Amino acid sequence: MTWWKEAVFYQIYPRSFNDTDGDGVGDIRGIAEKVDYIDELGVDALWLNPIYESPQADYGYDVSDYRAIHDEYGTMEDWENLLEKLHDRDIRLVMDLVANHTSDEHAWFVKSRESEDGYEDYYVWREGEKSEGNEGVENSPPNNWESAFGGSAWKYDEGRDEFYLHLFHDKQPDLNWRNPDVREEIADVVEWWLEKGVDGFRMDVVNLLSKPEEFPDGEPESGWVGYEHFANGPRIHDYLGELCERAFEPYDAVTVGEMPEVTPDEAERYAEDGIDIVIPFEHMELDTGDTVDWYTTEVDLVELKEVFSRWQETDCWTSLYWNNHDQPRAVSRFGDDEEYRVESAKMLATLSFTLKGTAFIYQGEEIGMTNAEFESFDEIKDTGTLRRAKLAMEEIGIKGFENVRDIVNYWTRDNARTPMQWSDEEGAGFTESGVEPWIKINPNHEYINVKEAREDEDSILSYYRDLIELRKQNPVLVYGDYELLLDDHPEVYVYERSSKGNEDEENDRVLVTANFFDGEPSFSLPEDYDCELVEVIISNYEGKGETDTGDEFELRPYEARVYRVE
Ligand code: NOJ
């Protein structure tokens, strides 16, 4: 079944969604309380970031028990109630499967560390490189691979006198997928949740599971040193094919694969393994510069269009997203979060709902939440940012938050994790007033909040509802072919979606025009593009129902117009 192609997903970061027990941390009951809000939006599925038992070194991506609920979030009964409430409203629930690594506090790792029988090879253990140094024998990591959070990907363990691999935090040791027992354990976990009624999984960094047999050094100049060896590794398709066939297919469950460093060609192979929706990254990397993450550059629209078009024209199915819990807020990053906040948030959304793929909304995006301004390291909660900042400061030899403030504020994942803004009250309606939230609340909740958005029919929230409805009414927006027009135009993104390649359907055609900047560009369509404008079916400015006359198009700042054409 392919319900997931037509579906709209809503992503919830439970820690920051809604706190009902007054501890400053969101919880499962908080999500249940807001199910009607989610339903009113018109979404079909929820993706929940990890809620399993975890020491929270990476806020749940360090799982210590896959079959238990983290106590700050509630109980298994709370989770069961949530599932029932969602299913009563025909909303599906997709959980997060973290299978590349566990917490170092997971029982498997505790046993592996002790070399307990059967568990020795559950993780990736390697001896270090021993050499004579000035201070006796030096024991250095087995190779130069780096953690995604900066620094070596290896940590020495005295008990085993070996290093273990951690592609993320050192409290997130990588599982050894070469070991069939590990593959069995993960398949059991998946089955266990599917038996409980879950509708599928978003699979964390799922193209990193297969490590090579040998551990050669990575190319030192690459953005993530070693990735050419561990991303899309040698046996990845066997592992995923096996997992999908054994665990997912019998339940007809949806699989959403998060895949750093994946190309469209590779993604087509993952589709053959049984991964339904691929989460690509290329469009999220255009402002990082060539090498290090900790660098920013303006996004070039021509490049962005080239990236989207390459993905639109392949046979794999992708998620369409501008935001998630790992990315700075899109309206601050690709739009204008001040003068044109509303227009630019709506323009970006127009693309999410008119390109080919499954649209994903990340909590708060539907009200145009922006990046926050963090004032000190104490306010930063994201372990990745803290580590990168520390390493960068050591390398350059600088001290003090103020010297890295801009880059930290640009990149930190905390931007996405500030609490959901429900109201203008002191706790933003996220937590009771007087309670200190786990992460700071963006002061702009005074005017950016759900309560206000609900009362305004021109709000970003209302526009999201309209877009969701529009997509449901127009299958061409889901299934239609994509054709890029004006590929070299530096300010506007123009494309057609049409069902002409699909013989069973009437030839529906839709033309999307979007201005990515605050100028007022004018343009005409290419001469060999034959179309007659019928009407504007949605726009982020006034103008629905109209058509333009003449050959010249003009767009206002961040304006998006979607036309039905013939
Ligand atoms: C990707 C997740 O989205 C991110 O939040 C996490 O830190 C890493 N994977 C490691 O699990």
Side-chain angles (χ1 to χ4, degrees):
M1 245 198 352
T2 53
W3 61 268
W4 41 268
K5 287 195 173 174
E6 292 172 23
V8 174
F9 279 66
Y10 187 83
Q11 182 195 346
I12 289 187
Y13 194 69
R15 214 174 166 79
S16 303
F17 194 62
N18 185 23
D19 169 25
T20 57
D21 59 4
D23 62 356
V25 171
D27 44 53
I28 296 173
R29 286 186 184 203
I31 302 171
E33 203 177 84
K34 299 293 184 185
V35 163
D36 286 332
Y37 168 76
I38 295 159
D39 195 23
E40 275 169 31
L41 247 183
V43 303
D44 310 277
L46 271 198
W47 153 28
L48 280 195
N49 287 106
I51 51 166
Y52 317 106
E53 191 180 285
S54 155
Q56 305 285 310
D58 189 20
Y59 299 114
Y61 283 97
D62 47 324
V63 179
S64 53
D65 185 346
Y66 290 98
R67 294 178 176 83
I69 303 287
H70 178 62
D71 57 4
E72 284 175 305
Y73 298 158
T75 62
M76 193 58 84
E77 202 187 334
D78 295 337
W79 180 85
E80 282 157 2
N81 289 337
L82 171 65
L83 182 70
E84 198 182 317
K85 260 189 135 172
L86 291 169
H87 282 177
D88 283 350
R89 290 162 179 77
D90 290 327
I91 300 174
R92 290 179 160 94
L93 180 61
V94 168
M95 300 271 279
D96 214 309
L97 178 70
V98 192
N100 178 66
H101 42 267
T102 67
S103 162
D104 64 342
E105 297 180 34
H106 194 292
W108 302 336
F109 190 74
V110 174
K111 293 181 191 172
S112 191
R113 204 167 217 168
E114 300 295 320
S115 297
E116 211 179 293
D117 233 11
Y119 289 90
E120 303 95 320
D121 294 331
Y122 258 52
Y123 293 83
V124 183
W125 292 99
R126 281 287 174 286
E127 279 185 5
E129 300 274 344
K130 297 201 172 149
S131 56
E132 275 304 322
N134 294 342
E135 291 167 31
V137 177
E138 279 172 16
N139 194 3
S140 41
N143 67 21
N144 69 349
W145 293 5
E146 283 181 356
S147 142
F149 299 154
S152 172
W154 298 93
K155 177 150 182 179
Y156 179 67
D157 180 80
E158 244 173 70
R160 281 185 63 141
D161 186 24
E162 280 182 311
F163 287 78
Y164 66 84
L165 180 70
H166 60 90
L167 292 181
F168 295 89
H169 197 287
D170 59 15
K171 283 184 68 62
Q172 291 168 297
D174 279 50
L175 283 163
N176 174 20
W177 273 71
R178 288 186 171 262
N179 183 340
D181 294 345
V182 167
R183 305 205 293 273
E184 194 65 26
E185 296 268 21
I186 296 293
D188 282 352
V189 166
V190 169
E191 276 176 355
W192 192 85
W193 282 102
L194 292 173
E195 273 301 311
K196 286 184 76 66
V198 163
D199 299 289
F201 281 94
R202 173 267 189 188
M203 301 154 91
D204 190 55
V205 292
V206 75
N207 62 331
L208 306 188
L209 305 181
S210 167
K211 314 298 186 299
E213 203 160 0
E214 304 294 326
F215 282 75
D217 274 347
E219 175 55 53
E221 295 304 314
S222 62
W224 189 359
V225 178
Y227 87 91
E228 68 276 27
H229 300 296
F230 54 72
N232 314 305
R235 294 181 57 194
I236 188 69
H237 297 292
D238 299 341
Y239 300 156
L240 289 183
E242 180 186 288
L243 182 66
C244 290
E245 193 180 328
R246 139 113 199 250
F248 289 103
E249 277 163 28
Y251 293 86
D252 201 11
V254 67
T255 49
V256 184
E258 188 211 25
M259 302 194 183
E261 310 290 352
V262 72
T263 60
D265 287 347
E266 274 287 344
E268 285 183 4
R269 293 192 60 196
Y270 287 110
E272 285 163 25
D273 300 335
I275 301 297
D276 298 322
I277 305 176
V278 168
I279 307 183
F281 275 78
E282 270 188 85
H283 67 299
M284 286 288 146
E285 288 165 350
L286 298 174
D287 48 355
T288 60
D290 286 340
T291 51
V292 251
D293 269 6
W294 272 59
Y295 176 79
T296 59
T297 177
E298 291 280 305
V299 176
D300 174 346
L301 180 63
V302 172
E303 234 184 297
L304 183 81
K305 293 192 284 193
E306 188 272 319
V307 167
F308 270 118
S309 302
R310 204 150 23 80
W311 281 93
Q312 291 286 299
E313 279 154 11
T314 53
D315 277 339
C316 63
W317 196 261
T318 64
S319 70
L320 298 166
Y321 73 98
W322 292 109
N323 291 281
N324 64 37
H325 65 291
D326 290 333
Q327 301 295 339
R329 290 279 177 184
V331 68
S332 302
R333 184 177 182 186
F334 301 102
D336 172 345
D337 62 8
E338 290 177 355
E339 190 176 351
Y340 295 109
R341 185 182 66 86
V342 174
E343 291 80 1
S344 59
K346 290 180 179 175
M347 181 275 289
L348 291 168
T350 310
L351 302 192
S352 290
F353 290 89
T354 57
L355 284 164
K356 190 165 82 183
T358 297
F360 278 65
I361 306 170
Y362 176 64
Q363 66 183 47
E365 158 183 345
E366 75 279 18
I367 54 167
M369 278 177 63
T370 68
N371 281 353
E373 190 65 36
F374 298 93
E375 312 283 347
S376 67
F377 280 122
D378 286 345
E379 288 190 348
I380 301 290
K381 306 293 168 196
D382 169 20
T383 172
T385 306
L386 289 170
R387 177 139 180 88
R388 278 200 175 277
K390 185 170 164 273
L391 290 171
M393 289 166 84
E394 275 169 16
E395 202 177 305
I396 318 171
I398 49 170
K399 291 204 168 96
F401 181 77
E402 54 300 346
N403 290 313
V404 285
R405 183 193 182 110
D406 289 350
I407 193 113
V408 164
N409 274 308
Y410 186 89
W411 279 123
T412 183
R413 303 188 294 178
D414 292 330
N415 280 313
R417 301 174 183 183
T418 60
M420 179 70 182
Q421 295 168 198
W422 297 102
S423 73
D424 62 358
E425 290 156 298
E426 197 192 316
F430 161 73
T431 191
E432 292 158 25
S433 68
V435 169
E436 176 145 14
W438 76 277
I439 188 170
K440 87 182 240 181
I441 295 177
N442 195 325
N444 67 19
H445 72 277
E446 283 179 9
Y447 58 93
I448 302 176
N449 62 63
V450 171
K451 187 161 176 287
E452 215 154 284
R454 267 181 148 164
E455 287 159 7
D456 172 6
E457 60 180 35
D458 286 330
S459 67
I460 301 171
L461 181 67
S462 308
Y463 190 71
Y464 266 78
R465 284 203 203 109
D466 294 347
L467 279 170
I468 293 173
E469 188 56 32
L470 185 80
R471 192 176 173 88
K472 299 227 146 113
Q473 302 301 329
N474 292 278
V476 65
L477 295 177
V478 179
Y479 297 108
D481 296 340
Y482 164 92
E483 185 186 343
L484 176 66
L485 305 171
L486 305 175
D487 51 351
D488 285 337
H489 198 294
E491 286 166 277
V492 294
Y493 191 178
V494 180
Y495 53 90
E496 183 191 89
R497 301 295 311 283
S498 81
S499 52
K500 61 181 170 229
N502 191 339
E503 282 160 20
D504 318 331
E505 285 172 35
E506 271 179 54
N507 187 10
D508 270 345
R509 290 172 70 192
V510 166
L511 180 75
V512 180
T513 59
N515 175 9
F516 250 74
F517 299 95
D518 59 4
E520 301 198 0
S522 56
F523 57 93
S524 8
L525 297 175
E527 267 174 24
D528 58 354
Y529 176 71
D530 186 17
C531 92
E532 200 177 302
L533 306 177
V534 179
E535 63 169 336
V536 175
I537 51 177
I538 198 160
S539 167
N540 58 349
Y541 276 74
E542 295 289 293
K544 201 168 148 188
E546 284 176 15
T547 53
D548 285 26
T549 48
D551 295 334
E552 193 78 347
F553 285 69
E554 273 174 25
L555 290 176
R556 287 163 281 188
Y558 296 99
E559 181 168 7
R561 291 166 85 84
V562 182
Y563 300 87
R564 184 169 310 289
V565 299
E566 267 173 8

